């Protein structure tokens, strides 16, 4: 009786453990609601309403990070949401948000620099490019270029690294280089499940290409 009881206990434990593993979410599944909501905020809500919705989403992302420690993909997306909130909020009040975003993205790099096809590098590069330099912020154009190139080394055909690097180049009147990367971004393969984000990004690319055409004359 004692032996059979032990066997039953072990079997029950095995079933519970394997069942739990089967139900455990993958990083892609964990970030999907964050990705979807981010795209809805960015591409469907009026700009004046976006900051408050990004704030709510940032809180949701933080809870996921805390409940799934060591998940680089979640840290990347928390950083993206915080960066987006900072952009929507604007002004000096956004500096604390971009500093927090940088911390999350740096933490993601330490865990896995290739997570989400190097998206931490892309997001950090954009922050370094757009944030004011010392003594106000941590902006650094040389570091931005370095990180853009690292992100493109990991994901050379990706829509986001090519768009953001193209934007960076256009802002420095490097129009010929910018067009190359923006054209590559337009040809990027679709990302399953991210149709809204892809559509919105392509519209941004087209708008930027028209601006380059005008500014380069």
């Amino acid at each position: 009786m004692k032996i059979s009881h032990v066997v039953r206990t072990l079997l029950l434990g095995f079933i519970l453990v394997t069942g739990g593993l089967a139900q455990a979410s993958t990083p892609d599944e964990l970030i999907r609601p964050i990705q979807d909501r981010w795209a809805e905020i960015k591409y469907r809500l009026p700009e004046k309403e976006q900051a408050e919705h990004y704030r709510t989403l940032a809180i949701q992302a933080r809870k996921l990070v805390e409940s799934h420690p060591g998940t680089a993909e979640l840290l990347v997306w928390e950083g993206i949401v915080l960066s987006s909130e900072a952009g929507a909020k604007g002004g000096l009040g956004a500096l604390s948000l971009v500093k927090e975003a940088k911390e999350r993205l740096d933490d993601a790099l330490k865990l896995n620099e290739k997570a989400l096809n190097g998206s931490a590098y892309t997001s950090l590069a954009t922050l370094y490019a757009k944030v004011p330099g010392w003594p106000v912020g941590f902006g650094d154009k040389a570091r931005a270029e370095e990180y853009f190139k690292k992100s493109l080394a990991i994901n050379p055909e990706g829509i986001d690294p090519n768009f953001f690097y193209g934007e960076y180049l256009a802002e420095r009147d490097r129009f010929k280089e910018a067009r190359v990367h923006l054209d590559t971004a337009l040809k990027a393969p679709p990302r399953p499940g991210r149709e809204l984000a892809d559509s919105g990004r392509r519209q941004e690319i087209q708008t930027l290409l028209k601006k380059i055409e005008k500014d380069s004359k």
Side-chain angles (χ1 to χ4, degrees), residues 107-123:
D107 288 343
L109 281 183
K110 292 172 186 174
L111 289 169
N112 180 8
E113 67 175 359
K114 294 184 179 180
L116 301 177
N117 290 320
S119 290
Y121 279 127
T122 305
S123 297

Side-chain angles (χ1 to χ4, degrees), residues 48-69:
K48 63 182 180 180
E49 297 178 13
Q50 290 180 4
E52 62 179 301
H53 290 279
Y54 282 133
R55 174 87 309 254
T56 300
L57 188 59
I59 293 170
Q60 181 184 345
R62 174 92 301 245
K63 290 178 180 178
L64 280 170
V65 167
E66 290 173 347
S67 60
H68 298 82

